[in-house]
Amino acid sequence: MHHCVTVNGSSLLFCEVIPRSTYGWCPGERYCSDSQGFTAQRDLVDARPRSYNGRRTPSRYRALLRMRKAKRRTVESSNRATDSPDTLFSKIDAQKTAVKRSLSSAATIVWLRGRGDLRIHDNPLLLQAQRLNEPLFIMFTWSSADADKNYGFGEAQRVFLFSAVDALNRALNMRFQQVIHYVRLSDDAGLEEYLQLFHFLEASLSARTLLMARRYEPPLLQLDMELECTLTKQRKWKVYTHNMHLLHEPWTVAYDGDATSSAGHFGTLLPFWQAWQRNADLPPEPAAAPSTLPPAAALERCEPRTPACCEKPPPLAGDAFVDRTTRCAPFQFVTSLVETGLHPVRPGTKRWDTVLLGSWAVDEERVRAFLRDFLEHRLPLYEKNKSRADLEVVSRLSPYLALGMLSAREVFHATRAASRRLAASERSKTFERRLIWRDLAYWTLYMFPEAVTTPIRSHYASQEWNEDPRLLAAWQRGSTGYPIIDAGMRQLWQTGWMPQNIRMAAASFLVEYLNIHWIHGLQWFHRTLIDLDIAINAMMWQNAGRTGLDMWNFVIHPETSARSSDPTGAYVRKWLPELAQLPNAYIHAPWKAPESVLSSAGVQLGATYPQRIIADLGAARKQSQAAVLEMRSRSMPQFFNADGYDRIRVPVLKAVSLPHERFQQTATADNTVWRHVFTRREFREAPFATHLPHETEACDRQEAQLLPKDSTRAMRGNGDAQAAA
DNA sequence: TGGTCGTTATA
DNA sequence: ATAACGACC
């Protein structure tokens, strides 16, 4: 590590030389990270800032002239319905001045995608835009790929996202006279289309700088890397990516469950937390909102619903896009968020819009006030009452964290500060760990990119499950006949949210009693949760479904747990009004109520409220346990250690601090190790004994041999990887 | 959530 | 030796 050039004449940077990667990433490039963890990229040969003007090609210049001519013709009409006339005029004025500036100097693009980046406070994109002080173009893109059923936004979350983006746009408008430009991408928008979009912005705004939040979903990790590589290498852009979502990004935590992290079982919270703390300083303090932003760079807009600027981008000699210039660009700049196609509710379908949004504010300052209110009034009660669904003591901040309307760094530091002010008895170990769990979820997804769709304990894929669609439908609709489950599932459907412990009860019910594959639970939560977070959802369902790094060591009983989580019955009465008249003794078990009690409460089982879809919970649980034991009895011996714990292959990845370095390390057979993971006692028994002792002993020997060899390999860094490549 | 497991208090 | 407790998953 050594010092190198400054970016934009301000901060001193720490750099290291990154060698050629196995992905062929930018050999000889130098990546710089400043003290706040921002990363940037410079060329070793020419560290001078390279302006658009200095390198304008004749054809580009002609394109610019065409643009100017077009601007004179067209009257910019910014006609968002929510704008008051005053803001509209000031916006137009701002844009008029911006047009002049944007043509004389390069513009900076802030690219928002709605995951982690929808805020003004602690927003490194805006802060860097302020420092760069170039005309600023803020853009939100939407493609139907952003609604991917595995990796995208779910339907409920899209309703919320719509409001959140709109609210941020209004806030940027009022505070900084900035507008979010909405871009509708085509359905299968991929690398090519994004490149076309940025090419267009380069031609029309002289944009050469892109600021964006990092994403961690496996397909987006790949897309973003390719995009950044192409833009920087071929187009000479400067691309700055920022961590806006996590306390520590997964590639900064070196942890493969070796002897140095012995706090608990591999993949559980405590050893991960140790590695998390060992690896780095505390996450940086949240930054304040920028005081000002540079003037807005205005774009010559296309008419709504017409393909963007058909004659653009201009042809460039030797450019990859030459043969596309005759075609219309697939993306459109649209004048309202509705036209992006983001909102999932079609006209005429009322579902979700009213109830779902009714309980969730989208204004950033109000959200931050929620945080302060929670820390002041409810945090002291949290530890004792966190599982009480009938008291509203939990933070309800998850929808905001999921979209980045609230900074995880801000929550982390504000919680620490609030906690320090409390007496020991009032502190909440659980709440203080919540954001560590969140980092663990992202680390797990980084280590196991298939975790959204496939069991991490790969041998569990052959387990037999109950495929009865009626049982699944009853669970989804909240008509299982178990009030606490049904109340939770109806709250989820109506509001997009459930308390954590009710989520766990619902998951336990699906997996342990209905014996339905956890993937169906994951997919339902994906569609219905307003606070959907891919990594957290996958971690929760893998762990509930017994196939995760961790495995829940408990089964939540739908009646007994309800008596402790909703002792007053207020929660069930709120979400199941048809049961509201039942006395407390029967509110969580209406099937036990005498006929007279039921009829005086107006309850008719099977008519006003369903009968239980399964009545013998004990037998159901035995059956799902048997399915696991049966699957394990068929599995190969390498999947178990001598004590009957499950074993999995784990990639060995060294910790890197800069995002691109992660691509130098790929998990191959050569750099994975076997690790055993926590396994419930009830599964560690009989079927495992059917394996011959020498088989598992051989595997244990193999593990013992692999362990020291691979961990030293990992420590030596990427020299070996280079030699191998 | 609830079951397991290791540690500490008590006899 | 056993019960009670608390940490953990």
Side-chain angles (χ1 to χ4, degrees), chain A residues 442-653:
Chain A
Y442 277 89
W443 176 86
T444 305
L445 187 57
Y446 171 66
M447 295 287 275
F448 304 92
E450 311 288 324
V452 174
T453 52
T454 319
I456 289 176
R457 303 184 194 209
S458 54
H459 50 305
Y460 279 55
S462 73
Q463 189 186 324
E464 300 278 347
W465 296 93
N466 191 336
E467 299 291 340
D468 188 344
R470 289 168 304 179
L471 293 182
L472 176 60
W475 179 81
Q476 290 170 331
R477 290 184 200 131
S479 53
T480 66
Y482 289 93
I484 195 74
I485 306 297
D486 294 342
M489 297 305 287
R490 294 198 202 173
Q491 181 187 25
L492 173 62
W493 176 255
Q494 288 173 41
T495 69
W497 187 87
M498 267 200 272
Q500 168 69 1
N501 65 317
I502 306 297
R503 295 183 198 203
M504 292 172 83
S508 213
F509 190 80
L510 187 78
V511 168
E512 302 285 352
Y513 293 110
L514 297 184
N515 197 21
I516 289 177
H517 199 302
W518 57 269
I519 200 75
H520 297 298
L522 177 146
Q523 288 171 349
W524 184 252
F525 273 33
H526 185 110
R527 292 181 55 194
T528 53
L529 279 176
I530 205 175
D531 62 10
L532 170 69
D533 186 299
I534 308 297
I536 295 171
N537 202 34
M539 177 176 74
M540 177 199 156
W541 281 102
Q542 290 257 6
N543 291 350
R546 321 180 189 96
T547 67
L549 286 187
D550 202 351
M551 178 190 272
W552 291 358
N553 195 18
F554 48 82
V555 173
I556 299 171
H557 192 283
E559 184 189 340
T560 54
S561 77
R563 295 194 189 284
S564 63
S565 65
D566 182 29
T568 65
Y571 180 76
V572 162
R573 289 192 177 90
K574 177 167 185 181
W575 298 105
L576 300 175
E578 63 268 43
L579 299 183
Q581 301 304 314
L582 276 178
N584 270 2
Y586 302 110
I587 189 75
H588 296 303
W591 63 90
K592 288 182 178 171
E595 195 50 50
S596 60
V597 172
L598 287 175
S599 59
S600 65
V603 176
Q604 207 185 339
L605 288 181
T608 64
Y609 183 73
Q611 297 278 4
R612 291 171 292 169
I613 50 172
I614 47 165
D616 191 342
L617 293 177
R621 197 178 149 178
K622 278 210 180 72
Q623 203 179 354
S624 61
Q625 180 186 346
V628 176
L629 293 174
E630 190 273 334
M631 171 273 298
R632 292 178 103 248
S633 76
R634 282 186 283 106
S635 301
M636 298 295 283
Q638 62 262 36
F639 292 112
F640 310 96
N641 79 358
D643 297 323
Y645 284 77
D646 287 316
R647 302 195 335 158
I648 57 171
R649 273 193 178 278
V650 177
V652 177
L653 302 175

Side-chain angles (χ1 to χ4, degrees), chain A residues 7 13 27 44 100 139 173 269 327 353 356 362 380 388 408 425 432 515 542 631 705 713:
Chain A
V7 162
L13 300 176
L44 272 177
K100 287 175 199 146
M139 170 178 81
N173 200 328
L269 183 75
R327 271 174 36 188
D353 264 285
L356 188 141
V362 288
R388 286 288 295 272
S425 64
E432 287 168 32
N515 197 21
Q542 290 257 6
M631 171 273 298
Q705 284 166 5
R713 256 175 69 98

Side-chain angles (χ1 to χ4, degrees), chain A residues 52-63 208 315-317:
Chain A
Y52 184 91
N53 288 339
R55 302 182 146 246
R56 186 181 288 147
T57 62
S59 59
R60 277 201 185 100
Y61 190 57
R62 280 199 301 276
R208 280 300 185 88
L316 296 178

Side-chain angles (χ1 to χ4, degrees), chain A residues 420-438:
Chain A
R420 273 197 293 269
R421 291 192 293 269
L422 293 177
S425 64
E426 290 183 324
R427 288 186 188 154
S428 173
K429 191 178 72 173
T430 312
F431 191 79
E432 287 168 32
R433 289 177 174 185
R434 285 266 127 100
L435 288 173
I436 315 296
W437 276 108
R438 188 165 174 270

